[in-house]
Amino acid sequence: MARAVEPLVVGGVIGNVLDPFVPTIQMTVTFNNKQVFNGHEFYPSAVVNKPRVEIEGGDMRTFFTLVMTDPDVPGPSDPYLREHLHWIVTDIPGTTDATFGREVVSYENPKPTIGIHRFVIVVFKQKRRQVIKPPSSRDHFDTRKFAAENDLGLPVAAVYFNAQRETAARRR
């Protein structure tokens, strides 16, 4: 198994959210100039604004779709709303960042209330420019089903971070 996906397997992202895949592009996700690495924790206050997502591995004729979900809603021990959709951006040109794509579902900042949540950011390579209609609800989103319905295939890159509710004691 590719070394790049091992943390996704250990973190349960492959299994809960994604099928096994081999990364074929380089994706860099940063919140306020802090890069996201698999399994690292961010305070919710640090992820209020949408991240900068840079994609390398395509050209201006290649387009990508980005999806961000939380598979642990409302809590990791009973995620009956799995997955909660936080963001969809399509038609992102290769060699640019997500701000150049078309935001289909606006960014919703993570606000976990119970336990430690995983927030998964995944990128798919589009076969062409396409119109993707927003889902009817953010809850019960299914990344695999979304990819199949939109002919996106397997992911080409993914990363996840953890976040939990900020308490007064933790903010000190």
Side-chain angles (χ1 to χ4, degrees):
M1 179 163 297
R3 197 175 183 99
V5 297
E6 284 176 17
L8 298 173
V9 172
V10 172
V13 171
I14 291 181
N16 291 149
V17 179
L18 305 173
D19 289 326
F21 72 98
V22 176
T24 56
I25 63 157
Q26 178 68 40
M27 173 178 63
T28 305
V29 179
T30 54
F31 285 98
N32 302 318
N33 296 320
K34 287 191 73 174
Q35 187 171 344
V36 174
F37 294 100
N38 284 316
H40 286 201
E41 185 167 347
F42 281 81
Y43 289 121
S45 60
V47 294
V48 169
N49 298 315
K50 60 184 151 187
R52 178 177 174 88
V53 180
E54 297 174 272
I55 297 171
E56 297 173 32
D59 56 39
M60 292 309 282
R61 294 181 311 261
T62 308
F63 297 95
F64 298 94
T65 293
L66 176 145
V67 174
M68 179 177 164
T69 69
D70 176 354
D72 300 317
V73 173
S77 62
D78 185 19
Y80 63 85
L81 296 176
R82 174 178 294 164
E83 301 162 48
H84 183 80
L85 178 63
H86 281 268
W87 198 24
I88 296 178
V89 182
T90 64
D91 293 336
I92 303 166
T95 71
T96 63
D97 66 62
T99 59
F100 290 93
R102 190 171 60 81
E103 195 172 60
V104 175
V105 175
S106 63
Y107 179 77
E108 178 182 273
N109 61 304
K111 295 178 250 174
T113 56
I114 304 167
I116 299 171
H117 290 234
R118 296 165 295 165
F119 294 89
V120 180
I121 299 171
V122 58
V123 171
F124 298 93
K125 184 177 179 184
Q126 297 174 205
K127 292 185 170 102
R128 63 199 165 289
R129 278 186 175 261
Q130 62 192 92
V131 175
I132 293 176
K133 64 179 197 171
S136 57
S137 171
R138 288 183 185 257
D139 288 328
H140 303 292
F141 183 79
D142 185 323
T143 300
R144 289 181 183 100
K145 184 177 171 189
F146 172 81
E149 288 172 348
N150 291 286
D151 196 25
L152 295 172
L154 290 173
V156 294
V159 68
Y160 81 100
F161 65 93
N162 295 320
Q164 61 184 306
R165 185 170 168 250
E166 281 184 68
T167 64
R170 286 182 64 198
R171 284 193 295 258
R172 284 188 195 145

